[in-house]
Amino acid sequence: MSAGAPTPGDIRLNCLTLGYDRHPAVHHLDGTIRRGDLLALVGPNGAGKSTLLKGLIGDIPSLDGQILRGMPARTLAYLPQADEIDRSFPLSVLDLASMGLWRRSGAWRSLLGHRGAVQRALEAVGLSGFEARPIGTLSGGQFQRALFARLILQDAQVILLDEPFTGVDARTTDDLIALIRTWHGEGRTIVAALHDLAQVRAHFPKTLLLAREPVAWGATASVLSPQNLARATRLSEAWDEDAAICAHDHAHAAAGLDAPGGGHDHAHAHEHGHGHGHHHSASTEQRETAA
Amino acid sequence: MIDLVAPFVEFGFMRRALVGCLALSISAPPVGVFLMLRRMSLMSEAMSHAILPGAAVGFLVAGLSLPAMTLGGLVAGLTVALLAGLVTRSTVIREDASLAAFYLISLAAGVLLVSLRGSQIDLLHILFGTVLALDDPALLLLGGIATATLFGLALIYRPLVMECVDPLFLRTVSRSGGPVHYAFLGLVVMNLVGGFQALGTLLAVGLMLLPAIAARFWARDLGTLIPASMLIAVLASFSGLSLSYHLDLPTGPAIVLAAGALYLVSMLAGPRGGLLYRLVKPRHLEA
């Protein structure tokens, strides 16, 4: 495990464990998010994708290990899942997008000088003419576009997206993916938690497959193999109230990573087979691993 | 036809009452608007109870002295707000629950303290206010609170709005979320203490919340909600005082009932979701 400061622009994860109430949601994750990476975060529900993103922006403390950022934590931009925002608040689309200017304007400086930039950001996401609309009247897709306008204005070097396309139609998704590819072209680092594997294969060169334990991290084609996906499903969704204190030896990690595929592979060999079913076998296996 | 202006021209104590209530009418409603939008409306009710023991201690120490009771109320209110916030941030208890726990403790202590010495009349005095007996220090206090509230809100306006809409976003870009939250709670406590001078603890909440809720039926965005709520509070203060003079009613309840009446009117006739507009049901638009 290499320690020391990371190269500027990189984010290094050193044996990182994140979780709630001592139970790990991300367990012993090692690796480096390189500057300019376009990284997909894939895994079943409860695999720790959102937890990892919140850990990266520093919103939840790590239980163990560390995150070494080659930039200040507050220069990372983060797109939350849409339901974490109070959309009943009487705020206009213009105001929502303008929040992205915080680092330049702070609490008091005037936003008038930035009006043009806000206008261009809204235009880039296809929301020209929506400036005065209250956010409560937007559709799910329009609201997501408005949040992307805010991201544009944040102008961050590292952009973290938590399920950006959930509940969003195909056209909006295509527009937003085009935007993400533009960011990638500009050399920004992008990490996105996603569920649609076809999308990941088409647009994301690198993937981290997570199931509490890291299952695989690398080039998308090799990470999203049927074997890896099957293993991810088995490892996920185990919250054992009586779990023993993690001894953190490497045999444990190896047992988690290298467990044989077993008899469940057939159910997960195709793309959308992951993320549901086989809870009984998953939890029994997890108990054995944790014990 | 009752003369609305005459009592204020004729009597100094009515002018004083009006000035005091107007000061409160421009400071409390904006705070109430944010409370309402954060779904914390009932929190102000809890806080108004939390103030009681502080005021009671002030009363026990110095009698019906404005500075002592104000200081006591401020200390008690801020203590409860801080403790509740602290417990919320460091345990699994949510803010409403921890606030309920602390305000109940505080209220019981207050009632106990008042009953230790004061007679029934003193208690009524604290609960229903002294609006017709506002002296110079009381007016200065109300004016000072109004000034501090408006400047305070202007200072924290942007981060406060962001904290209401998307607290996680504010946390990712700035450390100001916590301080802004506490500053806002401080403004709530300050206005409740001010209101308790004019209207009494039980009714201080009325002038904070009723105008804010009524304004929701007239205005859609924050920039119009706040002035609308102030206007409604001013109307309620003026008509409440007038009515209490002409009909010989207690002033505090009269003002809050006037605000309540304005709320009912707004609910019926307000253009933003008022009941009458729903009944009329204009034909839908093309796009």
Side-chain angles (χ1 to χ4, degrees):
Chain A
M1 251 144 267
S2 45
T7 328
D10 285 3
I11 302 175
R12 188 182 303 152
L13 313 175
N14 271 351
C15 200
L16 177 69
T17 297
L18 297 163
Y20 308 93
D21 209 8
R22 289 178 76 200
H23 292 277
V26 173
H27 211 180
H28 300 319
L29 179 58
D30 268 304
T32 303
I33 301 168
R34 299 239 170 258
R35 185 194 193 113
D37 265 0
L38 180 52
L39 175 70
L41 212 51
V42 177
N45 288 331
K49 303 188 295 294
S50 297
T51 307
L52 176 57
L53 292 178
K54 284 188 176 165
L56 286 173
I57 54 168
D59 193 49
I60 52 175
S62 58
L63 295 179
D64 199 7
Q66 58 205 142
I67 301 172
L68 298 169
R69 300 182 192 82
M71 74 290 293
R74 275 166 220 288
T75 59
L76 276 67
Y78 170 69
L79 177 85
Q81 291 186 20
D83 58 4
E84 292 187 34
I85 298 174
D86 180 5
R87 286 172 63 182
S88 66
F89 199 91
L91 197 72
S92 69
V93 169
L94 188 78
D95 289 337
L96 181 77
S98 303
M99 280 186 181
L101 294 167
W102 176 272
R103 274 182 54 223
R104 270 161 284 168
S105 64
W108 302 306
R109 280 191 289 282
S110 165
L111 295 176
L112 284 179
H114 299 291
R115 193 59 185 265
V118 178
Q119 213 78 46
R120 280 194 297 281
L122 287 174
E123 208 176 293
V125 295
L127 281 184
S128 299
F130 282 73
E131 291 84 357
R133 282 272 293 271
I135 54 174
T137 66
L138 296 182
S139 71
Q142 288 166 340
F143 186 64
Q144 204 66 5
R145 286 172 187 263
L147 291 179
F148 267 75
R150 185 171 78 177
L151 283 175
I152 293 177
L153 289 168
Q154 277 187 270
D155 191 23
Q157 203 54 50
V158 181
I159 301 169
L160 310 173
L161 310 168
D162 197 352
E163 304 199 6
F165 309 126
T166 303
V168 170
D169 68 11
R171 213 185 109 217
T172 305
T173 303
D174 290 344
D175 287 355
L176 297 182
I177 284 185
L179 199 55
I180 291 175
R181 294 184 72 91
T182 313
W183 287 336
H184 181 53
E186 290 165 357
R188 301 177 202 268
T189 312
I190 295 146
V191 183
L194 293 169
H195 276 297
D196 184 343
L197 296 187
Q199 208 169 54
V200 172
R201 291 202 172 94
H203 303 290
F204 288 77
K206 287 188 185 172
T207 298
L208 164 58
L209 180 56
L210 206 60
R212 268 186 3 118
E213 320 280 344
V215 176
W217 188 345
T220 297
S222 63
V223 167
L224 293 184
S225 67
Q227 291 84 359
N228 282 340
L229 290 173
R231 191 184 303 152
T233 306
R234 274 198 325 281
L235 285 171
S236 69
E237 295 190 350
W239 176 288
D240 187 348
E241 261 311 318
D242 308 316
I245 292 171
C246 177
H248 181 200
D249 52 60
H250 293 283
H252 169 207
L257 280 173
D258 302 334
H264 309 300
D265 281 20
H266 61 278
H268 309 288
H270 58 91
E271 276 178 8
H272 300 287
H274 72 292
H276 52 79
H278 293 261
H279 285 204
H280 53 289
S281 53
S283 55
T284 43
E285 167 134 2
Q286 195 52 46
R287 247 168 260 269
E288 286 158 19
T289 325
Chain B
M1 183 68 204
I2 49 175
D3 192 339
L4 288 178
V5 187
F8 299 109
V9 177
E10 218 168 308
F11 297 108
F13 73 88
M14 286 298 283
R15 277 200 298 278
R16 287 174 168 277
L18 185 64
V19 169
C21 287
L22 289 185
L24 199 63
S25 296
I26 59 166
S27 76
V31 176
V33 165
F34 277 101
L35 280 174
M36 171 186 72
L37 292 175
R38 304 183 77 166
R39 299 191 186 83
M40 285 165 70
S41 302
L42 292 175
M43 175 266 187
S44 57
E45 174 70 25
M47 288 308 299
S48 77
H49 290 140
I51 289 169
L52 191 64
V57 168
F59 174 70
L60 284 183
V61 171
L64 270 180
S65 135
L66 177 74
M69 287 170 69
T70 302
L71 191 68
L74 275 178
V75 169
L78 291 177
T79 309
V80 167
L82 275 178
L83 282 176
L86 215 64
V87 168
T88 308
R89 276 164 195 263
S90 47
T91 68
V92 294
I93 306 286
R94 292 174 76 91
E95 180 142 36
D96 61 331
S98 56
L99 198 65
F102 282 109
Y103 105 76
L104 284 168
I105 295 170
S106 192
L107 176 63
V111 172
L112 196 78
L113 283 172
V114 171
S115 68
L116 273 186
R117 210 180 78 177
S119 64
Q120 284 302 101
I121 297 164
D122 291 324
L123 183 62
L124 281 180
H125 215 76
I126 294 180
L127 294 183
F128 293 111
T130 54
V131 72
L132 292 182
L134 290 178
D135 50 7
D136 282 348
L139 280 186
L140 284 175
L141 176 76
L142 286 170
I145 285 174
T147 311
T149 302
L150 294 184
F151 275 107
L153 269 185
L155 274 181
I156 63 171
Y157 186 82
R158 195 178 284 169
L160 182 62
V161 168
M162 285 165 71
E163 225 237 346
C164 293
V165 180
D166 191 352
L168 182 56
F169 178 80
L170 185 61
R171 283 206 297 279
T172 60
V173 295
S174 140
R175 262 181 238 278
S176 64
V180 161
H181 184 70
Y182 286 120
F184 176 68
L185 288 181
L187 290 180
V188 174
V189 170
M190 214 167 67
N191 276 279
L192 289 174
V193 171
F196 121 84
Q197 286 304 323
L199 302 172
T201 35
L202 284 181
L203 301 173
V205 185
L207 208 47
M208 183 177 283
L209 283 181
L210 279 170
I213 300 169
R216 198 75 162 100
F217 291 103
W218 300 99
R220 188 152 55 184
D221 57 79
L222 213 48
T224 42
L225 261 177
I226 290 175
S229 68
M230 289 175 173
L231 187 69
I232 292 170
V234 166
L235 284 176
S237 297
F238 190 74
S239 48
L241 277 173
S242 260
L243 280 176
S244 87
Y245 175 80
H246 286 291
L247 305 179
D248 201 20
L249 303 170
T251 38
I255 292 170
V256 175
L257 281 177
L262 286 173
Y263 161 70
L264 289 177
V265 170
S266 306
M267 191 179 69
L268 286 173
R272 306 277 179 219
L275 283 179
L276 289 181
Y277 279 77
R278 296 211 166 171
L279 288 178
V280 174
K281 203 180 183 190
R283 286 183 56 82
H284 65 81
L285 305 174
E286 211 168 59

